[in-house]
Every structure is written in structure tokens, then in C-alpha cells.
Amino acid sequence: WDKAYVNMYAPHASYYHGEELLREPFYTTRWDINSCERHRIFISSSAYSRKGFHILVKAAGLLKHKYPDIKIVAPLSSMRVNAPRWVDFLISEDYTVYLKKEIKRWNLEKNVVLLKRLNSDDMAREYQKSHVFVLPSFQENSPNSLGEAMMIGTPSIAAPVGGVMNMVQDESSSLIFPSGDHVMMAHQIDRLFSDDQLALKISRNGRLIAERRHDVEASTMEYMKIYSTVIERHNF
């Protein structure tokens, strides 16, 4: 898709493709279905509405009757969980206030774990501990969080936005749901919760793709070649 936009708006520009490198903990941490916490869902950010955390809250609300122990773990939260309404009215962002109402409406106060900013080691541990990683974003480019989950092997569920479909194949290396559709998201989560063989397949295939896509040596050589070509073309 990015190449299509370059061709449309800058048809004479040169296009170079280089894969992304991840931080070290994501190469050394591995997910294991036998040691993960069952029914634990990890989302990489709850900070902005475009990240779709509210969609995950609604999906979890639908699933709670079947999985009473369902847990959502969300970093980058600014929510003041026990703050009175007047405090939220004065200083909280509208999205945060909305999230608090949705969590209460779906009776998920004990099922949502809100964290602050995590470093790469902490993020890797959260992927490892979780049963499923969910990417419900309404807007993405090439999401590092999806690559991180795939590299660790955490089974993923994602909305097909931005460059997501360049990274995964539906029903093989991830499960896809229509952006904003909390019912279909809940259905896909339920499938991974209830079918270990499916979860293992998604985990295994996702890791194989990520290991090729984020290979350090191959990516380094790729960028060396790109820079050499640019230097040669522009006579630097």
C-alpha cells in the first residue's frame, strides 16, 4: 500500500524497502501455551481512541459470562480508577472518562489491569504471560506491537488496517476481524481461548514470519545495500 501511495503522489521517486528491527527482549522471549495465563489478553496501548481499547472492552464484556476470569492488561493508561466524578470532569480526558463508563457498564472493574508506560523487558513479559494479543486499532502503519507479539509467539488477533495485512495472513498467522466490530473480535478471542491447536498454529506461523521479517543480519545487509545505492545515485 505504501508503494502505491508513493507511485501516485511522487511517481518519479525511488522506492526502497527495508524490514524493521525489534528491540532485543522480543528476540529472546518465547510464548508457551502451557505457562501463559489463560484468558489473559494484552493490548499494547490504551492511550488513544484510535488504538481501539474501547472495542476490546466491549468484546470482553460479551465474553465474561463464558470466561469469568477474563483479564485485559493495558499499558499507557492515564485513568484515575478511584477518582470521583468531579475530578474526572475537571482534569480527565474525554476518552478516559468514556472508558471508565464502559468498564463499569460491562461489569469489568475486576477484569481490567491498567498499567503505565512499560520498557521493552516488561512489554516482552506481558506478551509472554498473555493467552492472546489483540490489535484493535482503527489506524496503523506497520505496527511494531504486532511484530513483537509474532516474534514472541503470542497468538494475535488484529483489525486489517494500514499495513497489518502485509504482515499476517488471516487464519494462518493471525485472526482478523472487521475494524470496530467488537462482536467479531469476541468471536475470534473465543476461538483462541477454546482451541489450543488453533492457538498453537497461529503462534507457530506468526513466529516463522516474524523471524524472517525481523532478521537482524538480513535487515542490516538490506539497509547497507539501500544506503549504498542512494549514495551511488546521488554521487555523495
Side-chain angles (χ1 to χ4, degrees):
W1 291 3
D2 52 350
K3 190 173 183 179
Y5 275 86
V6 170
N7 289 338
M8 181 62 65
Y9 290 106
H12 301 297
S14 298
Y15 180 91
Y16 303 97
H17 177 78
E19 295 293 359
E20 298 173 69
L21 295 178
L22 305 176
R23 291 168 291 178
E24 190 273 337
F26 304 111
Y27 290 94
T28 56
T29 305
R30 288 290 175 262
W31 180 83
D32 186 340
I33 198 168
N34 296 310
S35 58
C36 72
E37 183 179 331
R38 295 280 175 160
H39 312 148
R40 182 186 183 104
I41 304 168
F42 185 58
I43 181 174
S44 61
S45 175
S46 59
Y48 315 108
S49 58
R50 64 183 174 87
K51 291 295 185 180
F53 180 51
H54 56 291
I55 306 300
L56 177 55
V57 169
K58 294 177 183 180
L62 293 178
L63 292 168
K64 187 177 178 181
H65 70 284
K66 185 173 182 180
Y67 304 102
D69 61 340
I70 192 169
K71 185 181 293 182
I72 302 173
V73 180
L76 296 177
S77 174
S78 60
M79 190 181 302
R80 299 168 179 84
V81 177
N82 298 314
R85 185 176 299 179
W86 67 268
V87 172
D88 283 335
F89 179 77
L90 288 175
I91 61 177
S92 295
E93 296 180 358
D94 290 345
Y95 184 57
T96 300
V97 175
Y98 168 68
L99 285 177
K100 284 184 70 172
K101 290 180 179 178
E102 285 297 290
I103 291 170
K104 184 176 181 179
R105 181 166 79 92
W106 290 99
N107 192 28
L108 293 170
E109 292 95 332
K110 296 181 180 180
N111 304 86
V112 176
V113 179
L114 299 171
L115 305 174
K116 300 301 181 183
R117 184 176 296 276
L118 302 179
N119 61 33
S120 58
D121 290 304
D122 293 333
M123 286 285 288
R125 281 191 289 270
E126 288 299 336
Y127 288 116
Q128 184 183 46
K129 286 191 292 186
S130 297
H131 197 163
V132 173
F133 167 72
V134 174
L135 183 78
S137 301
F138 291 93
Q139 180 184 19
E140 284 288 352
N141 185 9
S142 178
N144 280 351
S145 58
L146 181 57
E148 292 163 357
M150 293 169 69
M151 179 61 76
I152 288 173
T154 311
S156 65
I157 297 169
V161 298
V164 167
M165 297 310 294
N166 292 331
M167 299 175 65
V168 299
Q169 181 178 356
D170 188 23
E171 297 292 328
S172 175
S173 50
S174 185
L175 298 183
I176 302 300
F177 69 95
S179 180
D181 190 335
H182 68 282
V183 176
M184 278 303 299
M185 182 202 284
H187 172 69
Q188 300 291 48
I189 293 171
D190 185 25
R191 290 177 65 197
L192 289 179
F193 279 0
S194 61
D195 187 342
D196 282 0
Q197 292 308 307
L198 176 62
L200 288 168
K201 183 183 81 168
I202 298 295
S203 171
R204 180 176 61 252
N205 291 340
R207 238 181 80 191
L208 288 172
I209 291 173
E211 286 173 344
R212 292 194 300 268
R213 187 170 191 266
H214 303 291
D215 181 87
V216 174
E217 184 175 345
S219 294
T220 300
M221 296 303 297
E222 193 172 42
Y223 280 105
M224 291 287 288
K225 184 178 180 180
I226 290 171
Y227 289 135
S228 296
T229 302
V230 171
I231 291 169
E232 182 179 344
R233 286 189 176 184
H234 294 275
N235 298 314
F236 290 150

